[in-house]
């Protein structure tokens, strides 16, 4: 299926169209990007060309690497529409006007090849209207592919087919989006807003209206409709600022105009005078001068929030919501809390979850599809039906009956039961017919969560576990907060190596947290430092070095499978793996300088070996260490897995998986391939420049300090790093072994950790999550 789509055209080089084209290029496919002819200048394709140039400067970056941009060919629809004749998928992303789209479709239909698929990125115009005047062949080949913004980062893709759409076109688009673009595809019915925006816009509309009418501070509202429900801390108002305050009247108006008069949406969609006044005054959210929150530069960049009652701005303040603590972890207790905060949480979330139930049989027949759409489209930790299960179906139904909200048929079907259950270690979901069905993963998908439901770990302690994922492959999982690394992790690694050697063929290091690992447990290190337990800290450093060496020289292949952040120690463990299969959105970096130390678990030695051996870099004792010094002293973090390859955090033989759900299966397959003829690596020797190299590195830092780009403690930390990377007192005739470089890492790490500047950095990072520039 995915091989059927090898070349793509995107028509419409606005924010969404251009970003879709960029993401197709991220997948390694050539893509044509077309827009109208530019009105000014000699370059008739300036609009599309300018979109590509802007994306190369945009943060967050639409392109995973600058090389991907070279796969995008700009053009215009007057001169270059003929280029679509070679394309297998043609994505329309032009202005949301039916007449414009239909006229374009007629031109596309005349030029495209018969086997091509045409799609629209619309979320406001029904598919039936889009194709009503088109040829029968066009209707058969037409689908809606609704990407979420930004397309590179948002994993949800809603796909809609019409009554005439051929099944193999839907299957080809689904396979392409899954395997090449890394999307989780949710099939939707041709209904207004499909799933995620239908429910998401409802949720935002009721959240704003209820806060304004109840006189809530926006900070309190965001705190309430955020983490207590597993929703990002942006909540309602910060999310609207992120999306664009000026867009809300358009999307709400479009939804209101498309929905039936008796739809619950009309009850919650109430105009808010303050919001209307803000939009008239030019407040568009983060992309402009601010929205519900703003940065007042005239007052020294003071963070401010709007008062919904008056429309005036005041200094932003921390949320004051005692109801959250009083309710504990119970959503129902929060929604039944007697104060105004509890009443607000109930008004918003009870209505939202009740509306989600009404969508079953309308927007989709599957509750798990609605849950997936909200998890991936709005980054909810759990979908609406998972939240209802946490409250209890019967208790939730009683709550909405009290509020006069409609009880959807699916809630009556689920009465006395739950939407999800575990049967024989398999997760099942309730259907419209009242029976449960197994939740079956697509072919080629393995989820550790399924393995954990079905069995017991091979080994386990408080911070890590070892699982059997089948076919002779074991999986090492970190389980601590943010997957930090501590003595328990090191202990389990040491215990796991002989177990895997005896009972398995290979090991994968993987977890399903938001981040692979953010590194060492800094809180533990700071506590030990505060009681002067320096010996214990040095033992932990040595234990990490030995554990990671045990993985590197294990008699079986070890494959790291990261996604999200792999920082500090999380990056170091990957550097010791025999291979890495990384999710495309992996952000790797040795960031220890940010907390005032050097990599202490072998990160320096592994990066030195890579940069000294790479054929694309100058040879000799100095170029490699200097490049590693540049990367590590600036705590450089890759912006993608592709970028990690440029930094040599990943090697050419390492792999990249676009779809997060397929990462474990891909890593397991790589591990089994390596196991066929695996040989333990030979320890390297290091020829390092010694004191002269150290002086050169310190001179570079001194220059940065003179320019104001390096702080005093930056210079101290960089001096320690220079000592490690230059090899200390060695000379060119004295090659060092791994243990020699590890000893240097350990010695410099411990020396820096004792300095007041480093302790201040560690404490500041723990308190704020941000590096201290001291």
């Amino acid at each position: 299926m995915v091989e059927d789509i090898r070349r793509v055209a995107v028509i419409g080089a606005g924010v969404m169209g251009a970003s879709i084209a960029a993401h197709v290029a991220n997948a390694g496919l050539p893509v044509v990007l077309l827009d109208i002819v530019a009105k000014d200048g000699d370059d008739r394709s300036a609009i599309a060309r300018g979109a590509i140039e802007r994306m190369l400067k945009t943060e967050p970056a639409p392109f995973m690497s600058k090389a991907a941009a070279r796969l995008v060919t700009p053009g215009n629809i007057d001169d270059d529409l003929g280029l679509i004749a070679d394309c297998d998928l043609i994505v329309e992303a032009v202005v949301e006007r039916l007449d414009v789209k239909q006229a374009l479709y007629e031109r596309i239909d005349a030029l495209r090849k018969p086997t091509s698929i045409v799609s629209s990125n619309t979320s406001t115009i029904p598919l039936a209207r889009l194709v009503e005047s088109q040829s029968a062949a066009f209707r058969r080949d037409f689908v809606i592919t609704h990407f979420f913004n930004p397309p590179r980062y948002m994993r949800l893709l809603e796909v809609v087919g019409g009554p005439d759409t051929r099944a193999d076109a839907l299957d080809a688009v689904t396979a392409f989006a899954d395997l090449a673009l890394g999307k989780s595809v949710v099939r939707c019915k041709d209904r207004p807003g499909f799933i995620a925006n239908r429910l998401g816009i409802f949720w935002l509309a009721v959240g704003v209206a209820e806060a304004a009418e109840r006189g809530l501070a926006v900070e309190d509202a965001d705190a309430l409709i955020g983490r207590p429900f597993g929703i990002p801390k942006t909540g309602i108002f910060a999310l609207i600022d992120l999306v664009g305050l000026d867009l809300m009247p358009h999307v709400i108006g479009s939804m209101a105009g498309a929905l039936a008069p008796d739809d619950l949406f009309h009850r919650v969609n109430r105009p808010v005078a303050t919001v209307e006044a803000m939009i008239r005054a030019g407040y568009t959210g983060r992309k402009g001068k601010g929205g519900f929150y703003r940065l007042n530069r005239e007052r020294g960049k003071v963070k401010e929030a709007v008062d919904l009652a008056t429309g005036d701005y005041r200094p932003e303040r921390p949320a004051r919501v005692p109801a959250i603590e009083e309710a504990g972890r119970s959503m129902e207790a929060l929604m039944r809390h007697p104060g105004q905060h509890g009443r607000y949480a109930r008004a918003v979330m009870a209505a939202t979850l009740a509306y989600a139930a009404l969508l079953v049989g309308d927007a989709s027949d599957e509750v798990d599809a609605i849950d997936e759409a909200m998890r991936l489209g709005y980054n909810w930790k759990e979908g609406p039906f998972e939240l209802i299960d946490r409250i209890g179906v019967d208790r939730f139904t009683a709550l909405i009956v009290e509020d006069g909200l409609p009880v959807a048929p699916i809630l009556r079907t689920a009465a006395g039961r739950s939407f999800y259950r575990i049967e024989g270690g398999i997760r099942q979901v309730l259907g419209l017919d009242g029976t449960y069905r197994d939740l079956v993963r697509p072919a080629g998908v393995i989820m550790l969560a399924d393995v954990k439901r079905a069995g017991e770990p091979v080994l386990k302690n408080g911070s890590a576990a070892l699982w059997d994922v089948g076919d002779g492959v074991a999986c090492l999982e970190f389980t601590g907060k943010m997957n930090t690394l501590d003595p328990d992790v090191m202990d389990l690694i040491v215990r796991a190596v002989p177990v895997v050697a005896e009972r398995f063929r290979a090991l994968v290091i993987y977890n399903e947290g938001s981040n692979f690992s953010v590194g060492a447990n800094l809180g533990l290190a700071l506590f030990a430092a505060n009681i002067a337990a320096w010996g214990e800290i040095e033992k932990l450093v040595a234990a990490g070095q030995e554990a990671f060496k045990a993985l590197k020289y294990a008699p079986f292949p070890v494959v790291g499978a990261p996604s999200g952040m792999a920082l500090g120690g999380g990056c170091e463990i990957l550097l010791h793996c025999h291979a890495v299969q990384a999710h495309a959105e992996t952000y790797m970096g040795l960031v220890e300088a940010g907390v005032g130390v050097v990599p202490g678990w072998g990160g320096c030695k592994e990066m030195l070996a890579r940069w000294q051996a790479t054929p694309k870099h100058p040879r000799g004792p100095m170029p490699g260490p200097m490049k590693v010094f540049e990367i590590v002293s600036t705590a450089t973090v890759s912006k993608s897995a592709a970028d990690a390859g440029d930094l040599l955090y990943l090697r050419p033989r390492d792999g990249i998986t676009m779809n997060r759900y397929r990462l474990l299966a891909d890593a397991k397959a790589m591990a089994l391939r390596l196991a066929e003829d695996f040989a333990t690596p030979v320890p390297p020797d290091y020829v390092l420049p010694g004191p002269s190299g150290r002086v050169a590195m310190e001179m570079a830092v001194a220059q940065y300090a003179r320019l104001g780009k390096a702080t005093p403690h930056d210079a101290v930390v960089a001096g320690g790093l220079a000592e490690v990377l230059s090899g200390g007192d060695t000379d060119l005739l004295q090659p060092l072994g791994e243990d020699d470089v590890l000893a240097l890492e350990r010695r410099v790490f411990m020396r820096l950790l004792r300095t007041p500047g480093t302790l201040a950095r560690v404490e500041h990072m723990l308190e704020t999550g941000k590096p201290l520039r001291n």
Side-chain angles (χ1 to χ4, degrees), residues 307-320:
D307 185 316
L308 292 174
T310 66
D312 298 328
Y313 283 90
R314 53 165 176 76
E316 184 183 343
R317 61 164 176 78
R320 304 181 191 129

Side-chain angles (χ1 to χ4, degrees), residues 463-668:
S463 299
L466 186 72
W467 300 90
D468 183 345
V469 292
D471 301 314
V473 179
C475 176
L476 173 66
E477 175 197 27
F478 309 139
T479 60
K481 184 177 181 181
M482 296 190 74
N483 293 323
T484 53
L485 308 180
D486 61 18
D488 276 355
V489 172
M490 304 310 169
D491 174 67
L492 196 125
I493 290 172
V494 171
R495 290 167 54 204
V497 168
V499 171
V500 176
E502 180 181 350
R503 296 173 50 184
F504 296 90
R505 298 177 62 197
L507 175 68
V508 169
I509 304 175
Y510 165 90
N511 63 73
E512 286 165 4
S514 299
N515 296 300
F516 176 75
S517 174
V518 296
N521 186 328
L522 290 179
L524 185 64
L526 183 61
F527 173 77
N530 285 338
I531 62 172
W534 305 112
E536 293 303 311
I537 297 174
E538 188 159 7
K539 284 182 185 177
L540 173 59
V541 177
Q545 292 180 344
E546 290 304 311
F548 291 1
K549 274 183 64 182
L551 290 173
K552 181 176 180 178
Y553 296 111
F556 50 81
V558 179
V559 175
S563 64
M565 291 188 290
L567 305 179
C571 179
E572 288 178 289
I573 196 170
L574 295 170
L575 292 174
H576 286 81
C577 292
H578 303 118
V580 173
Q581 183 73 34
H583 180 231
E585 299 299 343
T586 296
Y587 316 115
M588 295 179 67
L590 296 172
V591 296
E592 286 85 351
V595 289
V597 293
V598 298
W601 284 335
C604 293
K605 73 175 179 67
E606 291 301 315
M607 289 294 282
L608 282 170
R610 293 181 183 203
W611 277 100
Q612 287 196 317
T614 181
K616 295 182 180 180
H617 198 65
R619 296 299 180 94
M622 194 61 194
M626 201 69 195
K627 185 64 179 180
V628 178
F629 181 77
E630 174 191 323
I631 294 169
V632 179
S633 66
T634 55
T636 301
V637 177
S638 72
K639 296 180 179 180
S640 66
D643 188 38
D646 293 338
L647 295 165
L648 294 192
Y649 290 140
L650 297 180
R651 296 153 295 191
R653 67 174 180 267
D654 294 329
I656 296 176
T657 296
M658 291 296 284
N659 193 320
R660 175 67 178 79
Y661 288 153
R662 295 183 176 276
L663 181 57
L664 178 55
D666 288 353
K668 177 181 170 181

